[in-house]
Amino acid sequence: MRSERRKKVMTLSILAVCVLTISIGFAVFSSTLNIKSTASVNPDASKFGVIFSNDGNSTSTTQTVNPNLSTYGGAATITNGINPVISGLSAKFTAPGDSVTYTFYAKNTGEYLAYLNYITFIGNKTCTPGTGTTQALVDSACNGISMSVKVGNDAAVTGSTSLITNHTLAAGTREQVVVTISYASDAARADGSFTVTFGDVMLTYSSVADFVPEEPICKLVDDVAPTGISEGDEYLCAVEEGMDLESDEGYTFFVLPGQNADGKTNLIMYANINASGQPVDSDDVEDKGEVSWYNENSCGDECTNEYGPVTAMNYLNTATSSWKEELRLNETYTDEGGVYGTITLNGKARLPKLSEVSNYDEENGTNAYLYDYLDNEWGGVSVHSVTDVWGYWTLATEDRYFAIAVLNGGYLIDNGIVADWEDGSNKGVRPVITVQL
């Protein structure tokens, strides 16, 4: 999906090669070191940091890196943030034997010794023929195009994941990173232009020598490598205990706008969920998951929302109780409607925030994932219609008696916080998770 956002295709007469991004990933920093039995030290994770630098000295947020031969490559861009990225590495070849090299630096700006644990190639090399050639000829020529990454004095690596040992970067020092894209001199030729796209490459530095990254909960659903994380990107997430991501077990989620301060990403599930944890994604699901936003203390239709979405969140917590413990939240949310103040979110999923769903536009279909699997009656715009599911609640209020929901028509609505058929609500809950992608 949205592959046009994920690759930069260079228009050439013979051949274009596109390498998208290289990023630095950070390990989970150890928060407590016990010393004997009477003292503890709490390291400051903010003192651990490795960034990209075009000359080994610059620490600017945005920098430019030029290739060794401008004839064969264009300028790349360094963006240093929570997850530093260098993007736009590219090659423009005309014949076998051509190559281009990008040289930049990984700089340890922290106060701890950093260990390079892994160099990981994410995604596959894909070759797409242009006008005037065939896939068979392109595949043959593509076999001769490769990318290598060399960090410091280590040998260059290619391929998938490479475990790195005995590689350190002292605080305040730098090391050279060299990316080479080559078209082998003995490689086949194609009789027309074609594009080769490589996936991302991640350099994993951590504060420990034997760091082993956790198994991911989510993986990108696409055959094209992304340029970073973008709103609307589709992921498969193995949220239930026992789900195996490698076996493609999981539920579909979509990236919501905004990235958290800790570098994690918020994703919303493709459909509502009922109390038994079943996705409400077809008319065959008997329990459509209707629930009030707040309906506690036997207040009936006179309920006010001064306590927050207690009923809806309790319902969602029950529905996701079998989800993985690493999804558990520890977050304080302040009502964007300004009515009930703040609440603590400590379940394994939450309702969406108003700011995460308020910028979508049904008119041109953007962010359509937010209003899919809802009822298409009465102006509904879902691609997949589910009878009697009219929307889902957000965390935000409108005023003392109304909360804000996403409606099947592709817009927000303020709705009475007590949901029942007579009220016309038929609202449910759609889980939002927070994960490291």
Side-chain angles (χ1 to χ4, degrees):
M1 58 168 284
R2 295 174 176 80
S3 60
E4 67 277 3
R5 285 208 316 251
R6 297 206 180 111
K7 61 184 179 182
K8 184 176 181 181
V9 178
M10 311 300 291
T11 304
L12 303 166
S13 59
I14 302 298
L15 173 68
V17 179
C18 176
V19 181
L20 292 172
T21 66
I22 292 183
S23 60
I24 292 177
F26 296 99
V28 177
F29 197 87
S30 176
S31 60
T32 302
L33 169 64
N34 291 319
I35 300 176
K36 297 185 179 179
S37 60
T38 59
S40 65
V41 175
N42 295 303
D44 182 354
S46 68
K47 301 299 183 183
F48 178 80
V50 182
I51 65 169
F52 284 133
S53 176
N54 58 4
D55 60 4
N57 296 312
S58 176
T59 58
S60 300
T61 301
T62 303
Q63 304 171 43
T64 299
V65 178
N66 293 306
N68 63 326
L69 296 172
S70 60
T71 305
Y72 291 151
T77 301
I78 289 173
T79 304
N80 285 315
I82 296 171
N83 296 305
V85 171
I86 178 167
S87 57
L89 287 78
S90 60
K92 299 179 288 186
F93 296 153
T94 59
D98 291 344
S99 68
V100 64
T101 298
Y102 287 84
T103 301
F104 47 99
Y105 295 85
K107 183 177 179 64
N108 186 344
T109 58
E111 299 178 7
Y112 295 93
L113 181 68
Y115 294 86
L116 177 62
N117 302 119
Y118 295 93
I119 299 177
T120 307
F121 291 73
I122 304 170
N124 299 314
K125 179 177 68 174
T126 59
C127 303
T128 306
T131 303
T133 189
T134 66
Q135 187 68 59
L137 286 173
V138 166
D139 286 344
S140 180
C142 191
N143 290 332
I145 297 174
S146 62
M147 178 177 64
S148 66
V149 179
K150 183 181 187 320
V151 182
N153 296 320
D154 288 356
V157 298
T158 60
S160 54
T161 299
S162 295
L163 174 64
I164 310 298
T165 58
N166 301 317
H167 187 122
T168 60
L169 183 60
T173 65
R174 66 186 187 180
E175 62 184 351
Q176 198 173 73
V177 181
V178 179
V179 178
T180 302
I181 310 166
S182 302
Y183 191 7
S185 59
D186 59 350
R189 295 173 179 260
D191 58 353
S193 64
F194 63 97
T195 300
V196 183
T197 301
F198 293 91
D200 294 355
V201 181
M202 176 173 286
L203 312 181
T204 302
Y205 287 88
S206 77
S207 56
V208 293
D210 55 352
F211 168 71
V212 178
E214 294 181 357
E215 289 295 321
I217 290 179
C218 302
K219 67 178 180 180
L220 186 69
V221 179
D222 208 326
D223 58 356
V224 178
T227 53
I229 300 169
S230 300
E231 177 187 348
D233 285 346
E234 183 180 351
Y235 282 79
L236 181 70
C237 299
V239 293
E240 294 268 8
E241 291 290 355
M243 282 182 171
D244 181 11
L245 199 60
E246 291 187 2
S247 300
D248 292 333
E249 297 174 354
Y251 298 136
T252 298
F253 283 76
F254 295 91
V255 173
L256 288 169
Q259 190 177 47
N260 297 348
D262 59 2
K264 293 185 177 181
T265 301
N266 303 309
L267 302 95
I268 190 167
M269 193 168 163
Y270 74 104
N272 290 7
I273 193 170
N274 62 26
S276 64
Q278 184 179 15
V280 184
D281 56 5
S282 76
D283 287 345
D284 294 333
V285 180
E286 185 174 347
D287 177 8
K288 294 301 195 294
E290 182 183 13
V291 63
S292 297
W293 193 85
Y294 180 85
N295 188 15
E296 304 291 321
N297 303 321
S298 301
C299 54
D301 292 337
E302 300 302 317
C303 286
T304 62
N305 53 26
E306 59 188 296
Y307 302 105
V310 176
T311 307
M313 283 302 304
N314 285 343
Y315 186 94
L316 179 59
N317 289 343
T318 298
T320 58
S321 60
S322 62
W323 288 17
K324 294 177 178 177
E325 186 61 31
E326 53 260 48
L327 290 169
R328 188 167 298 281
L329 300 166
N330 181 20
E331 180 181 352
T332 299
Y333 169 77
T334 301
D335 178 19
E336 291 158 290
V339 174
Y340 64 81
T342 62
I343 57 171
T344 299
L345 304 171
N346 53 16
K348 298 174 183 177
R350 60 169 172 81
L351 307 179
K353 300 173 184 178
L354 176 60
S355 56
E356 293 171 331
V357 297
S358 60
N359 66 340
Y360 65 90
D361 178 10
E362 179 270 325
E363 292 297 325
N364 60 24
T366 57
N367 302 345
Y369 60 90
L370 289 172
Y371 46 88
D372 204 2
Y373 293 94
L374 300 174
D375 199 317
N376 262 344
E377 293 294 327
W378 305 101
V381 294
S382 297
V383 175
H384 307 89
S385 180
V386 183
T387 304
D388 291 340
V389 181
W390 296 96
Y392 55 91
W393 298 109
T394 73
L395 290 166
T397 61
E398 174 68 17
D399 59 28
R400 190 181 180 199
Y401 295 98
F402 290 86
I404 298 174
V406 175
L407 198 65
N408 62 327
Y411 53 86
L412 299 177
I413 189 172
D414 54 351
N415 218 127
I417 62 176
V418 180
D420 55 44
W421 175 251
E422 290 76 18
D423 180 49
S425 293
N426 281 56
K427 307 297 186 304
V429 294
R430 188 161 295 197
V432 173
I433 61 174
T434 302
V435 298
Q436 185 76 51
L437 294 180

